[in-house]
Amino acid sequence: MKLSVIIALVILALSILAVSRILVGLIVANCHQLNSLDRQAPLNNHRFSVVIPAFNEEKLIVRTIVSVLRQNYSNFEVIAVDDGSTDKTGAILDRLAQKYPKLQVVHQANQGKSTAINTAVRNWATGDLVMVLDADSYLNKDALTKMARRFDDPNVIGMSANVRITQPHNFLEWVQKVEYLLGYRLKGAEEILGIEYIIGGIGSTFRRKAMLEVGIYDTDSITEDIDFTMKMITHFGNRKKQFGYADDVIAYTPPVKNFRQLLKQRYRWKHGRFKALFKHRQVIFNWNRKYTKSLTFWKLPKVFFEELIMLIDPLLMLWIMGIVLHYADFATVISILGLYYIFAIATFITEDLKLKERIKLMLTAPFAYLVLYVINIIDWLSLVRCLIHMKRIITNADKTAKWLPVDR
C-alpha cells in the first residue's frame, strides 16, 4: 500500500474520531445542562470556606474579595492568605478585613500557592466545603448557592466551576475567550461519562473532610489543581465518588495579554499535567472497581495519544493543504470549518451570555477553527518544550511549587 494512501487513511480516521468526540460531547453536555436546570435550592445548609491564596495581586484583589462577600448565599467565610507579597496586597487585605467580618486574613512567608491553600484549610477553615479561588478572579453572585446544590449529593467529592474570560481587548484575548467557552462546553459530558480528572483551580470546590483525609495539596507541583484532583481520584476512586463540573457556577478570570506570556502559562499547564499523570500513573489501565473504565482505559491513555497527534499536527496540516492545493478539492477544509462552526453555534446559543457578547461570538463562529488553531500553535510549542524536559517530569526531579504569575 502506498504511503500516501496510508497517510490519507490515518487522516480520515483522525477526522472521524474528532467529529465523533465533538458531536457526542455536545449531546451529552446538553443532557448535563438540562439536569442543572432541574436543581432546586440547596437542601443542606453547607458552610463554605472560600480560600483565596494571593501573591502580589494588589491590582485585582479587591474585586475578588468583594465578589465573594456579595454572594446571595449567607453561610460562608473568606480566608485570604497573603503568601509573602512584596506589593500592597497584604495592606489592602488588612483594610478589607476591618470592614468585612466574614474576611480573615493570614500572612505568611512566601512558600508557594499549595502551601498557602494548605495553611487555610488545615488551620483556619471551618466549613464543610472549601472553594479555592484565584486572587485575580471573581464569582457571579449566585455561585455559592448553585455550588451548594451539587454537594447535596453525599457522593460528590469535588466540583469545578464554569470559568470564563473577562472582557477581551485584543485578538489574543478574544481567542482565549472563545477557547474557554468551547472548551468548558464539553466538561459536562466528561462528568456524565466518568472521565473528569481536572478540577480547575478557579472556583474548584471540595469536601474539607476529604481534603484532610488525603493530606491536602502536595507541594511539589506548579499545577496544584491537576495534581490534587489526581491525588483525590487515586485515593477515593471515581465510580462511587463523583468529580464533576458545575456548569451554572460562573467564575471569571482575566485573559493573558500577549503571546509570550500565554506560552509561559500553557507550558506550565502542560508540564504540570504530564507530571501529575506520571506521578499517579497507577490509575492508568487500572482494573480496580473503584475507577470507571472510561477513565482508566480511555480518557487518561487518550491524553498521551492526543499529545502524539499534536506533535505531528504540523505535518498532517501540511499534507492536507498539499492535497487541497494539488487537487483543488476544498471539501476537507470546508468540512473542518463547518464542524467547528456547528460546535461554536451550539455553544454560543445555549450559554448564558449578554446579547451584545452573544452577537459578537456568533459572528466569530464561522472562524472558530482558525481562532482555536492559534491556541493549537501555542500548545504545540509547549509540548516540544515539555519533551525536552521529559526526563525531569517523569522522575519528578523538579519539585518547584513557587508562584509563576503571568501578565494580565
Side-chain angles (χ1 to χ4, degrees), residues 134-158:
D134 286 358
D136 59 0
S137 305
Y138 63 98
L139 300 172
N140 259 9
K141 66 179 181 179
D142 58 0
L144 294 186
T145 298
K146 291 182 174 179
M147 186 63 85
R149 297 172 185 170
R150 306 290 176 149
F151 285 86
D152 281 341
D153 182 347
N155 291 317
V156 171
I157 294 291

Side-chain angles (χ1 to χ4, degrees), residues 1-16:
M1 186 179 292
K2 291 184 178 180
L3 179 61
S4 59
V5 176
I6 295 175
I7 295 177
L9 290 174
V10 170
I11 293 173
L12 176 62
L14 293 175
S15 301
I16 293 173

Side-chain angles (χ1 to χ4, degrees), residues 14-30 182-183 185-187 189-190 193 298 302 306 335-347 368-369 372:
L14 293 175
S15 301
I16 293 173
L17 182 63
V19 170
S20 301
R21 173 179 177 269
I22 291 176
L23 294 181
V24 172
L26 277 175
I27 293 170
V28 180
N30 285 337
L182 298 183
R185 180 64 183 158
L186 298 178
K187 281 183 75 67
E190 293 182 348
L193 297 174
W298 169 249
K302 189 165 71 74
E306 288 173 342
S335 298
I336 293 173
L337 295 177
L339 171 64
Y340 277 85
Y341 170 71
I342 294 171
F343 179 26
I345 289 293
T347 299
Y369 179 79
L372 291 178

Side-chain angles (χ1 to χ4, degrees), residues 334-392:
I334 293 172
S335 298
I336 293 173
L337 295 177
L339 171 64
Y340 277 85
Y341 170 71
I342 294 171
F343 179 26
I345 289 293
T347 299
F348 301 152
I349 288 177
T350 56
E351 286 291 333
D352 181 18
L353 301 166
K354 294 180 180 178
L355 179 60
K356 185 177 180 181
E357 186 178 37
R358 191 189 304 276
I359 292 173
K360 287 183 178 179
L361 288 165
M362 296 290 275
L363 293 174
T364 304
F367 313 101
Y369 179 79
L370 299 177
V371 169
L372 291 178
Y373 205 77
V374 176
I375 298 296
N376 208 53
I377 293 171
I378 294 172
D379 281 345
W380 186 85
L381 293 172
S382 300
L383 174 59
V384 172
R385 188 176 174 189
C386 281
L387 291 176
I388 294 173
H389 300 289
M390 188 55 69
K391 182 178 180 180
R392 292 179 60 81

Side-chain angles (χ1 to χ4, degrees), residues 187-352:
K187 281 183 75 67
E190 293 182 348
E191 176 186 328
I192 291 178
L193 297 174
I195 58 176
E196 176 68 273
Y197 74 101
I198 300 177
I199 306 296
I202 301 172
S204 59
T205 304
F206 298 94
R207 294 190 187 275
R208 183 164 64 95
K209 183 178 179 181
M211 297 177 77
L212 294 171
E213 184 173 328
V214 300
I216 332 183
Y217 287 71
D218 289 349
T219 57
D220 62 352
S221 176
I222 55 177
T223 53
E224 76 293 329
D225 49 356
I226 302 175
D227 181 76
F228 185 63
T229 308
M230 287 299 300
K231 182 179 182 179
M232 294 279 275
I233 290 174
T234 301
H235 180 78
F236 291 105
N238 73 324
R239 180 180 294 279
K240 293 183 178 179
K241 301 301 182 181
Q242 185 179 350
F243 297 84
Y245 167 56
D247 58 282
D248 54 350
V249 178
I250 310 297
Y252 294 90
T253 191
V256 179
K257 294 182 179 297
N258 59 62
F259 188 92
R260 183 176 64 84
Q261 291 295 311
L262 188 57
L263 180 60
K264 174 183 175 182
Q265 180 196 63
R266 299 311 167 94
Y267 168 69
R268 179 176 68 85
W269 289 2
K270 196 174 290 290
H271 179 285
R273 184 172 70 159
F274 273 131
K275 185 173 180 178
L277 289 174
F278 281 112
K279 183 178 177 182
H280 302 281
R281 56 187 175 272
Q282 68 267 34
V283 179
I284 302 175
F285 296 123
N286 194 310
W287 286 98
N288 193 308
R289 291 180 61 83
K290 71 179 182 179
Y291 305 117
T292 61
K293 299 301 182 288
S294 55
L295 177 72
T296 60
F297 282 85
W298 169 249
K299 181 62 178 182
L300 296 183
K302 189 165 71 74
V303 171
F304 294 96
F305 175 73
E306 288 173 342
E307 295 294 348
L308 173 62
I309 296 303
M310 176 173 289
L311 184 63
I312 63 175
D313 181 74
L315 296 177
L316 293 176
M317 185 58 64
L318 288 173
W319 180 265
I320 291 173
M321 296 308 299
I323 292 176
V324 168
L325 295 175
H326 184 269
Y327 293 103
D329 182 3
F330 295 90
T332 301
V333 174
I334 293 172
S335 298
I336 293 173
L337 295 177
L339 171 64
Y340 277 85
Y341 170 71
I342 294 171
F343 179 26
I345 289 293
T347 299
F348 301 152
I349 288 177
T350 56
E351 286 291 333
D352 181 18

